[in-house]
Amino acid sequence: MGGRRCDVLSQCKRTTIQSPFLEALLSGETKNYYPGEWASNFLTQGHGRIQPARQALCYILRQALGIVRMPNTYDVKIRANLFDNIDPSDLDFAVEDARRIYEFTQAEMNRVWAKPTITLKRGIRDQEAGVARALFDELGSDNETVPLYFSSLTFFNYVSGAFNAPLVVSVPCPIEWIWASQYTLADLEQGQSCEEFVVACLDPRATMELPASAFDWAETWRDIPEVRITGVKGYPDTPESRRHRVAQALSYLTQEGLEPDDGLRLGIEYEPGKWEGKALRVSRKLVRLGQKLDRRFSSSIFQSTGHIRPRRIIKGGDE
């Protein structure tokens, strides 16, 4: 029960994964299904958009829950050859099991929680929080709400896992979006106290308008002063399109973090400052010292910057 701290939610019964393929993707060993390529299960290090576990889970949940997106909607693009070496019966069983887990979770949440929404949190750390703050400021004070774009599959925490971060995003998540949690699926409990919730956004536009107050910034966190917003081909340079681009970037930061890859619709690339870069080449433990030196020698060439880069298409085709 290490991750189940809420007395109310702890009344939920729990189930376990029955599909070996689904279990491998979420918390087990993936090499038997994706040999010859670097891969990890979703709970460990498989959050990246080009990770097989992330892409396969997104596809499975879309099939299981009937998730259909509007054209050109923010979401994970699934590469064409993802299931070339997967037995169709394994995939069908994974979809069936994912549907069973969802129905079990919904029954338990409606029995125990009995409310239409639950507030879930996402903690954002380090450079991601700094870049997110600068992007948030780009939206300006006139924006009372900020659109948050969801992928098919996203991790959130109920309480404890989001604390001690420079930025915490609070989301009033519809109960019907919850595929599973540590309170309903034993496989999600990894001996930690993060109170994990796996959210499958059912909205066709994958969008939720959040009040600006949903973004809670630590007062001690410094802004990253220079952020370039570059356009994406096909978008007009209007205030609304700019809001859309910045909001997508914020969504990416709050769900994915800073990790350049070729599968991003909008990506964030972080360019460290002069001394921060030198520190990174020696040891990550010296990064904060490098950042302090960059702030001390305040010149634009010493500042850390973040920028949005244009869309890229995964080699091998999209979904």
Side-chain angles (χ1 to χ4, degrees):
M1 301 286 288
R4 291 161 37 111
R5 295 185 174 187
C6 176
D7 291 340
V8 175
L9 291 172
S10 292
Q11 298 174 41
C12 289
K13 297 177 183 179
R14 294 205 289 183
T15 187
T16 58
I17 296 175
Q18 297 176 2
S19 159
F21 183 37
L22 185 61
E23 188 274 335
L25 293 172
L26 189 68
S27 60
E29 181 58 68
T30 60
K31 66 180 181 181
N32 292 332
Y33 295 97
Y34 294 103
E37 69 173 285
W38 187 87
S40 179
N41 69 61
F42 187 65
L43 280 180
T44 305
Q45 292 179 331
H47 287 228
R49 287 182 163 231
I50 61 172
Q51 282 292 320
R54 175 69 180 276
Q55 294 202 3
L57 282 170
C58 282
Y59 176 83
I60 288 169
L61 288 188
R62 290 175 193 176
Q63 293 296 309
L65 308 185
I67 298 174
V68 179
R69 294 282 189 250
M70 296 290 288
N72 202 36
T73 299
Y74 175 94
D75 211 332
V76 173
K77 292 290 185 180
I78 299 175
R79 69 192 198 204
N81 64 346
L82 185 65
F83 299 112
D84 283 358
N85 298 316
I86 304 300
D87 190 311
S89 63
D90 289 339
L91 182 57
D92 290 343
F93 186 28
V95 171
E96 178 185 334
D97 201 27
R99 186 180 301 113
R100 177 191 64 83
I101 291 168
Y102 174 74
E103 292 171 352
F104 178 91
T105 295
Q106 289 297 301
E108 288 302 297
M109 289 297 294
N110 285 308
R111 178 180 69 85
V112 170
W113 191 251
K115 301 175 186 177
T117 64
I118 184 171
T119 299
L120 301 179
K121 300 176 183 294
R122 183 86 182 193
I124 314 301
R125 294 179 171 84
D126 301 328
Q127 289 95 338
E128 285 92 339
V131 177
R133 181 57 195 252
L135 289 169
F136 189 89
D137 290 344
E138 287 285 335
L139 292 174
S141 58
D142 294 336
N143 287 278
E144 296 181 356
T145 63
V146 178
L148 190 68
Y149 299 87
F150 287 79
S151 299
S152 299
L153 176 66
T154 309
F155 261 127
F156 284 91
N157 306 125
Y158 178 57
V159 177
S160 57
F163 289 168
N164 301 316
L167 166 61
V168 176
V169 183
S170 298
V171 175
C173 180
I175 294 299
E176 64 180 3
W177 288 12
I178 298 173
W179 174 66
S181 76
Q182 285 186 213
Y183 293 95
T184 63
L185 185 62
D187 304 80
L188 284 173
E189 189 160 358
Q190 301 291 302
Q192 302 172 356
S193 58
C194 293
E195 299 171 273
E196 302 277 16
F197 275 69
V198 180
V199 173
C201 176
L202 304 183
D203 187 292
R205 293 173 176 79
T207 306
M208 179 184 290
E209 289 282 341
L210 296 179
S213 59
F215 294 79
D216 185 15
W217 308 94
E219 293 182 1
T220 56
W221 186 252
R222 71 179 182 90
D223 293 347
I224 293 181
E226 296 182 8
V227 176
R228 283 193 297 116
I229 309 297
T230 59
V232 178
K233 185 177 181 181
Y235 282 113
D237 189 15
T238 64
E240 183 58 32
S241 67
R242 186 178 182 82
R243 181 174 183 266
H244 170 71
R245 295 199 303 270
V246 172
Q248 279 203 347
L250 276 171
S251 299
Y252 175 72
L253 283 168
T254 57
Q255 298 182 52
E256 319 290 342
L258 295 170
E259 52 174 341
D261 67 50
D262 286 340
L264 305 181
R265 177 170 306 209
L266 285 177
I268 298 295
E269 294 174 340
Y270 179 75
E271 179 183 347
K274 178 180 178 180
W275 296 105
E276 182 183 356
K278 290 178 181 293
L280 275 170
R281 288 192 286 272
V282 178
S283 171
R284 294 192 64 86
K285 295 180 179 179
L286 299 177
V287 167
R288 292 193 180 278
L289 174 60
Q291 291 173 344
K292 289 180 180 178
L293 290 173
D294 285 334
R295 294 198 299 273
R296 173 66 178 83
F297 300 105
S298 55
S299 169
S300 61
I301 63 171
F302 291 130
Q303 297 295 340
S304 299
T305 64
H307 68 273
I308 301 173
R309 60 181 167 86
R311 178 185 311 181
R312 293 187 181 181
I313 304 299
I314 299 173
K315 294 179 180 178
D318 295 326
E319 178 184 26

